[in-house]
């Protein structure tokens, strides 16, 4: 697992580097955003360990940039401020280390990423609902709903959040059996049980395993009919 570290505190970087050396991990260190961007373009990192409070860009903002470019990345935050924990998990971090943390704490966080990585056999999404995290495959998702700058995944078990825009999800899932029927909804066609025509030629979709129904936009219904008739 290749690791990229970014922290603006020299002592914090020195301590983290010492721990990573002791744990024998392959890592690079960025002291600022310019170094981060250069290293990130040059290497294929698996894990990003970020401080949250940095003057140039916050770790939370940087994590959103990372996930926008690589949905399979793992982010671990290290910070002295516990109040950021909820926001960190909402963004999609795999763990949150409160300074000063031990070598064992760091190893547990990295092991968590490794365990998820070993389970991957294709596209997977690390989603959140409160303090709970879920690793979902495309085939787990019944439909996707836009929610400001993130999306809500609906599975037969319930709902969880993912830090991507719905347009990003449309691109990520274009090779799977998903179809965007509305500016706010993408549905998994494998779960469609039945359909019903509504006013203005819109289509209401019903699904297996859940009671929800989703109604397309007029334009979405037109595109869906054209797609089916091909």
């Amino acid at each position: 697992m290749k690791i990229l570290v970014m922290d603006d505190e020299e002592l914090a970087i020195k301590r983290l580097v010492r721990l990573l050396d002791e744990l024998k991990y392959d890592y690079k260190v960025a002291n600022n955003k310019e170094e981060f961007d250069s290293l990130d373009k040059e290497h294929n990192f698996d894990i990003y360990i970020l401080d949250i409070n940095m003057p140039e860009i916050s770790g939370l903002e940087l994590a959103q940039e990372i996930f926008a470019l690589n949905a399979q990345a793992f982010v671990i935050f290290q910070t002295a401020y516990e109040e950021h924990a909820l926001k960190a998990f909402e963004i999609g971090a795999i763990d949150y280390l409160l300074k000063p943390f031990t070598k064992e704490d760091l190893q547990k966080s990295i092991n968590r990423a490794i365990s998820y990585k070993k389970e991957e056999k294709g596209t997977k999404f690390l989603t959140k609902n409160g303090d709970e995290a879920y690793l979902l495959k495309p085939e787990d998702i019944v439909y996707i709903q836009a929610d400001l700058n993130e999306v809500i995944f609906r599975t037969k078990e319930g709902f969880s959040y993912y830090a991507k825009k719905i347009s990003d999800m449309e691109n990520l899932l274009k090779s799977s059996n998903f179809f965007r029927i509305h500016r706010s909804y993408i549905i998994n066609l494998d779960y469609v049980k039945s359909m019903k025509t509504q006013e203005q030629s819109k289509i209401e979709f019903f699904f297996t395993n859940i009671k929800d129904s989703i109604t397309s936009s007029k334009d979405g219904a037109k595109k869906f009919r054209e797609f089916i008739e091909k």
Side-chain angles (χ1 to χ4, degrees):
M1 300 287 276
K2 293 183 179 179
I3 300 171
L4 180 55
V5 174
M6 184 169 170
D7 195 313
D8 66 315
E9 296 180 13
E10 186 177 352
L11 289 177
I13 288 180
K14 285 183 177 180
R15 186 172 187 279
L16 180 55
V17 162
R18 176 175 59 80
L19 296 179
L20 290 170
D21 282 337
E22 290 176 7
L23 294 170
K24 302 186 185 305
Y25 283 110
D26 181 13
Y27 66 89
K28 299 289 183 183
V29 175
N31 295 287
N32 54 55
K33 185 63 162 58
E34 184 178 356
E35 288 183 8
F36 178 93
D37 290 339
S38 177
L39 287 167
D40 202 28
K41 288 177 182 177
E42 185 179 350
H43 301 275
N44 185 25
F45 292 104
D46 303 291
I47 300 173
Y48 297 80
I49 302 178
L50 311 175
D51 187 27
I52 287 183
N53 290 299
M54 296 184 288
E56 192 175 359
I57 183 172
S58 78
L60 299 173
E61 292 170 325
L62 187 56
Q64 290 176 320
E65 288 187 13
I66 291 168
F67 289 133
L69 295 171
N70 180 9
Q72 308 309 313
F74 297 102
V75 171
I76 298 170
F77 286 115
Q78 56 163 348
T79 181
Y81 303 96
E82 191 172 4
E83 63 267 22
H84 294 299
L86 179 59
K87 183 63 177 177
F89 285 119
E90 286 176 350
I91 286 174
I94 195 168
D95 213 346
Y96 182 95
L97 292 169
L98 194 62
K99 298 175 183 178
F101 50 85
T102 66
K103 181 170 69 174
E104 290 71 27
D105 293 331
L106 178 60
Q107 181 67 80
K108 286 178 183 178
S109 293
I110 295 173
N111 283 347
R112 189 175 184 190
I114 292 172
S115 67
Y116 278 127
K117 190 74 174 177
K118 286 181 178 178
E119 290 179 13
E120 290 181 356
K121 296 179 182 178
T123 302
K124 291 196 178 184
F125 306 104
L126 183 63
T127 68
K128 300 287 182 180
N129 188 345
D131 293 332
E132 297 292 327
Y134 307 92
L135 194 63
L136 301 179
K137 298 173 289 185
E139 54 264 37
D140 297 325
I141 304 166
V142 180
Y143 66 81
I144 301 167
Q145 179 181 353
D147 186 45
L148 298 178
N149 289 323
E150 59 185 356
V151 291
I152 302 170
F153 286 176
R154 175 59 157 120
T155 68
K156 64 181 181 180
E157 286 81 18
F159 299 89
S160 58
Y161 292 82
Y162 189 60
K164 285 279 188 183
K165 294 181 180 179
I166 196 164
S167 56
D168 297 326
M169 295 308 307
E170 186 177 15
N171 290 329
L172 284 170
L173 296 169
K174 61 185 177 182
S175 61
S176 301
N177 203 22
F178 284 77
F179 196 88
R180 190 168 182 177
I181 59 164
H182 190 284
R183 63 182 298 180
S184 297
Y185 289 99
I186 298 171
I187 62 172
N188 187 340
L189 298 179
D190 291 335
Y191 280 97
V192 174
K193 179 175 64 175
S194 61
M195 295 170 282
K196 182 179 180 181
T197 301
Q198 299 289 5
E199 60 179 19
Q200 297 181 325
S201 299
K202 297 177 183 179
I203 301 172
E204 185 175 8
F205 292 85
F206 301 87
F207 306 95
T208 58
N209 299 322
I210 64 171
K211 295 181 179 179
D212 310 28
S213 68
I214 301 294
T215 300
S216 72
S217 64
K218 185 178 179 179
D219 185 56
K222 181 177 180 292
K223 290 179 179 179
F224 178 75
R225 291 187 178 98
E226 292 172 350
F227 171 77
I228 293 298
E229 290 171 2
K230 285 182 180 180

